[in-house]
Amino acid sequence: VAGYYARQIADDRLNGQRVSGNRFASAAVGPVIAYNMPDCKCSVKFKAQFSVFTRNSLAPNAAYLFFNKAFN
């Protein structure tokens, strides 16, 4: 399981003036599946993240596919 929580800590500014009440916050969580292949010194990882909380933001769901290869 993997995820993230992000939060804006400073107010937005418009023409040098603070705009309060618009701070961003977001959290997502989801599964991770990884497969290591030692013969080729590489790995494949799939990660999905589902939005569980948002404030002043989009609520995206995302999927990632990673491939890693060592060249030494």
Side-chain angles (χ1 to χ4, degrees):
V1 175
Y4 72 87
Y5 175 74
R7 182 176 155 199
Q8 181 179 346
I9 58 174
D11 286 331
D12 293 332
R13 290 185 175 269
L14 179 63
N15 298 324
Q17 301 295 317
R18 285 187 179 170
V19 179
S20 62
N22 292 327
R23 290 190 181 183
F24 154 86
S26 179
V29 67
V32 176
I33 299 170
Y35 182 70
N36 294 319
M37 297 169 274
D39 294 341
C40 69
K41 296 182 181 179
C42 57
S43 67
V44 176
K45 183 184 345 181
F46 174 77
K47 183 190 296 187
Q49 292 184 336
F50 304 100
S51 182
V52 293
F53 168 76
T54 58
R55 183 177 68 206
N56 293 324
S57 177
L58 299 173
N61 295 323
Y64 305 93
L65 182 63
F66 300 93
F67 178 77
N68 298 305
K69 170 79 172 126
F71 292 102
N72 55 5

